[in-house]
Amino acid sequence: MSTEAVLKYYKQTFGGDPEQLAFAPGRIEFIGNHTDYNAGLVMGVAVAEGITVAVGRRKDRFMHFVSDGGEAVALPLDSLSPVSGLASWTNYPAGVTKVLLEAGMEMPVGYNMSITSTLPAGAGMSSSAAFELATAYALSAIYGYETDKAGFARIGKKAENEFVGMPCGILDQGVSAFGQADHIVRIDCSSDLFSLSAMPAGAHFWIFNSNKKHSLVDSAYADRHRECHEALAILQKAYPEVKNLSEVSEAQLRSQESELGDLLFRRALHIVGENDRVRAVESALLANNLDAVGKALSASHESSRVNFENSTKELDFLAVQLQQQAHVYGARLTGGGFGGAVMALTDDKFGAEHAAVIEAAYQAEFGIEASIFHTRAGDGAQTL
């Protein structure tokens, strides 16, 4: 977290000291790709990197935001609506503000906010959810609103769904809220049930950012969301008791392959397979079998490539190169896909010299530098 920088930006822009600081981490989607909005199972890891905000109340009914020392953006508290263009990044805190007001939080005056991030932009590590959670924690502290971790996760999700316009599930916000050092967050999205699994000793996370940035709101994410629901509607004709794709067995799915057609069948097969892979990973972690975990991660990437088609040639290259390296258990794209980053689960012998081999091969292939960083499972959102 970057408390010195966020305080500096606040003082430079607004003068004086803020009333409250809050931090929320980004996340690695460990396994369970696009299962969250299909009411399925997913595992994620809160990372040490994230977003820090500093907030203080104003005397008028405006919100002023400044990020990384740039020009402040002012928005009226009494007419909250999404903005476009260069200021669209303010939709995340504005959306959270709107959701908190709808939930009953009283805001007699607006606020100033400065923001700093240690997350790589566009790498699929959910800076948006971190921004939402940090905002929710800070505003709740200064305006006197109380809820639990699950409540904060739902506030962030609602802001992103209804204000930002991104039809995400609760994975990103849930992991940011429930993260714990050296643990994986497991979410049953059918009931928003959160639990923690300890990471085996010696397991490390390496993130290889393809530097092919994505913007999920403008990408095929919404198409995949729609395709999943179209597949479900067809499956429900044969199996009316099924409420979501994650309740469908592979046998049920294959019985309707001709009805679904190739595209919808593959989309549904990815979701059904991902839920099975989450269960396999959970069992493997209990048995401290990181080889089995790695195989499931690599199988997840292959399904993303073939069935869900949310990978890219850059992500595929990074995943395959990593999977072939010694000391790597497995590798897969992390996040929504369509660009972003690949996560590698490694042992403690994998180091910077191994990462440099991958980066050199990637640059030779695409003429792009991959950004690399080594992270750990960190704690969840908190006031500072």
Side-chain angles (χ1 to χ4, degrees):
M1 48 190 90
S2 183
T3 55
E4 289 184 9
V6 82
L7 284 169
K8 173 186 169 186
Y9 294 145
Y10 191 94
K11 290 179 180 179
Q12 284 179 345
T13 307
F14 307 117
D17 294 315
E19 295 177 70
Q20 184 66 57
L21 275 68
F23 168 81
R27 64 94 187 95
I28 298 168
E29 179 196 85
F30 191 63
I31 194 163
N33 184 250
H34 288 259
T35 49
D36 56 351
Y37 59 78
N38 286 292
L41 303 173
V42 64
M43 285 180 155
V45 178
V47 297
E49 297 77 17
I51 286 181
T52 306
V53 302
V55 180
R57 279 171 284 195
R58 296 176 57 83
K59 294 181 179 180
D60 57 22
R61 300 277 298 169
F62 278 82
M63 306 172 295
H64 285 229
F65 305 100
V66 63
S67 175
D68 295 334
E71 291 295 319
V73 176
L75 299 175
L77 187 59
D78 293 322
S79 55
L80 288 168
S81 59
V83 298
S84 58
L86 294 177
S88 61
W89 60 272
T90 61
N91 286 334
Y92 297 104
V96 168
T97 302
K98 188 172 191 292
V99 172
L100 285 167
L101 286 167
E102 290 170 349
M105 188 176 82
E106 295 183 4
M107 296 180 66
V109 293
Y111 59 86
N112 296 319
M113 176 185 287
S114 64
I115 305 104
T116 60
S117 174
T118 51
L119 284 168
M125 297 184 69
S126 200
S127 56
S128 58
F131 197 2
E132 291 155 1
L133 268 290
T135 299
Y137 269 75
L139 295 184
S140 296
I142 66 171
Y143 291 107
Y145 181 82
E146 294 185 3
T147 187
D148 57 10
K149 290 179 181 180
F152 280 118
R154 293 187 189 104
I155 287 165
K157 177 180 179 292
K158 186 175 183 183
E160 189 140 357
N161 291 166
E162 298 180 7
F163 196 88
V164 178
M166 172 67 180
C168 65
I170 203 157
L171 162 67
D172 299 345
Q173 294 83 5
V175 173
S176 189
F178 281 86
Q180 184 172 314
D182 302 319
H183 284 74
I184 293 176
V185 181
R186 178 191 184 273
I187 311 173
D188 182 341
C189 299
S190 66
S191 57
D192 284 359
L193 183 64
F194 300 85
S195 57
L196 294 169
S197 298
M199 274 303 299
H204 291 251
F205 302 104
W206 287 78
I207 305 300
F208 291 76
N209 183 0
S210 70
N211 285 322
K212 295 289 284 189
K213 295 181 181 180
H214 63 176
S215 176
L216 289 181
V217 174
D218 299 322
S219 74
Y221 189 105
D223 291 336
R224 296 300 181 276
H225 188 278
R226 174 181 51 77
E227 289 159 357
C228 286
H229 286 83
E230 287 176 0
L232 174 63
I234 292 169
L235 287 161
Q236 285 174 327
K237 293 176 183 176
Y239 304 103
E241 72 280 7
V242 167
K243 299 183 185 68
N244 54 68
L245 272 188
S246 297
E247 292 183 3
V248 177
S249 69
E250 187 171 340
Q252 288 174 323
L253 177 60
R254 291 194 180 279
S255 76
Q256 300 300 306
E257 184 172 355
S258 61
E259 294 294 322
L260 288 161
D262 176 66
L263 187 141
L264 294 184
F265 172 76
R266 286 186 290 112
R267 300 296 189 256
L269 182 61
H270 177 71
I271 302 303
V272 171
E274 279 292 275
N275 282 298
D276 289 341
R277 286 184 283 272
V278 172
R279 296 184 189 96
V281 165
E282 190 171 23
S283 298
L285 286 172
L286 288 172
N288 203 27
N289 186 347
L290 286 172
D291 288 327
V293 172
K295 287 178 182 176
L297 297 179
S298 297
S300 172
H301 183 87
E302 182 65 6
S303 181
S304 287
R305 183 183 75 83
V306 174
N307 294 324
F308 220 63
E309 296 180 288
N310 62 323
S311 189
T312 64
K313 60 184 180 181
E314 292 86 3
L315 295 177
D316 293 340
F317 183 88
L318 286 168
V320 170
Q321 291 290 314
L322 284 159
Q323 290 162 10
Q324 294 173 349
Q325 290 291 312
H327 311 302
V328 174
Y329 294 111
R332 64 179 293 271
L333 64 82
T334 180
F338 313 110
V342 167
M343 174 207 73
L345 178 68
T346 78
D347 64 22
D348 53 12
K349 294 177 182 176
F350 187 93
E353 67 276 15
H354 302 97
V357 171
I358 304 296
E359 201 283 326
Y362 181 76
Q363 187 168 10
E365 183 74 13
F366 297 105
I368 306 170
E369 287 189 16
S371 303
I372 303 166
F373 69 98
H374 179 199
T375 190
R376 61 177 179 81
D379 289 322
Q382 58 196 277
T383 52
L384 306 174

